[in-house]
Amino acid sequence: MTHPLEDLRDAALSEIAAVPNEQALDAVRIRYLGRNGSISAWGERMKTLSKEEKPVVGKSLNQARAAVTAALEEAGKKLRAASEAGALADLDLSLPGTAGELGALHPLTQMLDRAIGLFYRMGFALAEGPDLEDEWHCFDALNTAPDHPARNEADTFYLHDGRLLRTHTSTVQIRTMEAAPPPIRVIAPGAAFRRDEVDATHSAQFHQIEGLYVDSGVSVADLKGTLEFFLRELFGSDTAIRFRPHYFPFTEPSFEIDVKSKALKSGEKWIEVAGCGMVHPAVLEEVSRARGDDAYDPEKWTGFAFGLGMDRLAMILFDIPDIRLFAQNDLRFLRQFAS
Ligand code: DAH
């Protein structure tokens, strides 16, 4: 006569051999080896057995458990392999894949990277300031009188609390000097905002690269050398560059810079690319006053500043006819700058 444990074991083994899937296999495992399983029940029963019976039944119990566990594992492996093979059978490896599309840098970003690289070579560091500004940083500290037309509500975006969207990146000149004493040699690329009528050359948001260099003995010659180097590296060595006297409240003397080059689409025409000048002593004095020291004593320090129109530079460089194209996200336009 066989022991009931052996019958249980044989029953389990033949059920395992017949299961159609993993779920059914799990049900068999629970029925025999689960907490209330029929083989497991013999574990409890052991406690009631006599001294002589215990080792005999214990051995059968261990053998039954080991045999059923091994069979469960083996069957599980087979079932998993079969279901994987089934999934792969539906897979057609000869079908073409979905190609990933590679992105590219926006033309303004490409322009900016080139500009930053050139100014790095001349020892300029990067500086930045917020787009949302106060009137003092945007106008007062830059020697701009309260009745100056640029401060008009028709030209500048004001918030109800009196703050504004900066109309130029010159604000960063002030923030940089407030934060550190001279010498200063920074560029500050960023957005600027004006309530302009939008057309092919005007946008409510545009981009500038501000520059500021303050040290002892800085002169107009340094200003010219720096910007001529930058513009010739950017547009080619045969680019003609003209400094035209102009007026800005925060520089004295002030200039506008025009470029002309046969290599460019604009050809023989002068095109304006920047405003610049020698930092006005009133600006240095106002910064010292705000700092509460005389770090920017205009008797000791001089400096130059400039503001380059970044969109304008990119339009010249890449022969782009309309500033609005930069913000429209039209892939037919953008793809032309993906290399
Ligand atoms: N902030 C001027 C503008 O937006 C440009 C400019 C002119 C910047 C002269 C300067 C400067 O730093 O010195 O039109």
Side-chain angles (χ1 to χ4, degrees):
M1 206 186 87
T2 54
H3 191 277
L5 257 169
E6 283 162 23
D7 294 339
L8 279 174
R9 181 198 63 197
D10 293 344
L13 293 181
S14 57
E15 277 183 49
I16 289 168
V19 294
N21 54 41
E22 290 182 79
Q23 239 178 327
L25 187 69
D26 209 41
V28 175
R29 186 186 58 77
I30 291 168
R31 214 156 345 107
Y32 289 93
L33 295 181
R35 208 143 41 93
N36 301 313
S38 47
I39 294 181
S40 310
W42 278 88
E44 279 299 303
R45 214 164 294 158
M46 287 275 287
K47 294 175 195 156
T48 65
L49 297 180
S50 70
K51 240 184 166 175
E52 294 74 37
E53 279 177 310
K54 253 186 201 166
V56 183
V57 175
K59 202 171 160 198
S60 293
L61 178 58
N62 284 340
Q63 278 171 350
R65 262 204 202 117
V68 174
T69 305
L72 282 167
E73 239 171 64
E74 192 56 32
K77 259 191 226 156
K78 276 200 192 126
L79 287 170
R80 274 193 297 279
S83 76
E84 267 169 33
L88 285 175
D90 294 339
L91 197 67
D92 183 351
L93 292 177
S94 67
L95 283 174
T98 324
E101 263 198 82
L102 205 57
L105 292 179
H106 190 279
L108 272 179
T109 308
Q110 294 183 28
M111 163 69 230
L112 179 61
D113 286 351
R114 279 173 78 164
I116 290 175
L118 289 171
F119 283 113
Y120 271 179
R121 278 166 61 187
M122 292 187 278
F124 283 79
L126 273 178
E128 61 179 1
D131 290 356
L132 198 52
E133 265 293 5
D134 52 58
E135 284 198 72
W136 186 77
H137 284 94
C138 199
F139 299 123
D140 301 295
L142 287 160
N143 196 35
T144 306
D147 60 352
H148 191 280
R151 305 181 70 146
N152 203 300
E153 290 204 359
D155 293 328
T156 302
F157 293 106
Y158 284 96
L159 270 68
H160 293 303
D161 64 7
R163 285 181 300 166
L164 49 81
L165 290 176
R166 67 180 182 194
T167 56
H168 52 186
T169 48
S170 303
T171 53
V172 187
Q173 291 186 33
I174 304 303
R175 290 195 172 270
T176 305
M177 290 190 281
E178 275 183 289
I184 294 281
R185 199 181 335 176
V186 293
I187 54 163
F193 309 84
R194 284 182 205 168
R195 290 183 75 156
D196 276 330
E197 199 68 55
V198 174
D199 62 23
T201 54
H202 295 85
S203 168
Q205 176 180 340
F206 55 101
H207 305 85
Q208 297 184 320
I209 303 174
E210 192 75 18
L212 175 68
Y213 184 17
V214 183
D215 207 332
S216 56
V218 177
S219 73
V220 177
D222 299 308
L223 166 63
K224 277 195 77 181
T226 302
L227 288 169
E228 283 177 353
F229 171 81
F230 172 75
L231 293 168
R232 292 216 167 95
E233 284 290 315
L234 197 64
F235 294 129
S237 52
D238 54 357
T239 304
I241 297 164
R242 173 171 83 178
F243 286 71
R244 204 166 15 84
H246 196 74
Y247 170 79
F248 295 106
F250 35 90
T251 43
E252 178 59 35
S254 307
F255 312 93
E256 278 191 330
I257 308 175
D258 306 325
V259 297
K260 181 172 81 169
S261 166
K262 284 202 197 75
L264 299 171
K265 260 281 156 60
S266 44
E268 287 303 298
K269 245 183 33 211
W270 287 106
I271 1 180
E272 182 204 322
V273 291
C276 64
M278 301 304 293
V279 179
H280 198 294
V283 173
L284 298 177
E285 273 162 10
E286 180 64 3
V287 166
S288 288
R289 196 194 58 73
R291 288 172 55 96
D293 60 18
D294 61 353
Y296 283 89
D297 181 354
E299 296 296 322
K300 277 202 211 134
W301 306 97
T302 50
F304 68 71
F306 57 86
L308 290 151
M310 215 164 93
D311 309 73
R312 179 74 67 91
L313 292 181
M315 286 168 80
I316 300 170
L317 196 62
F318 300 129
D319 190 25
I320 295 167
D322 193 319
I323 194 172
R324 289 168 291 196
L325 286 163
F326 287 131
Q328 284 166 345
N329 273 345
D330 185 334
L331 287 177
R332 291 168 303 178
F333 168 72
L334 294 173
R335 283 212 177 95
Q336 297 174 54
F337 305 95
S339 47

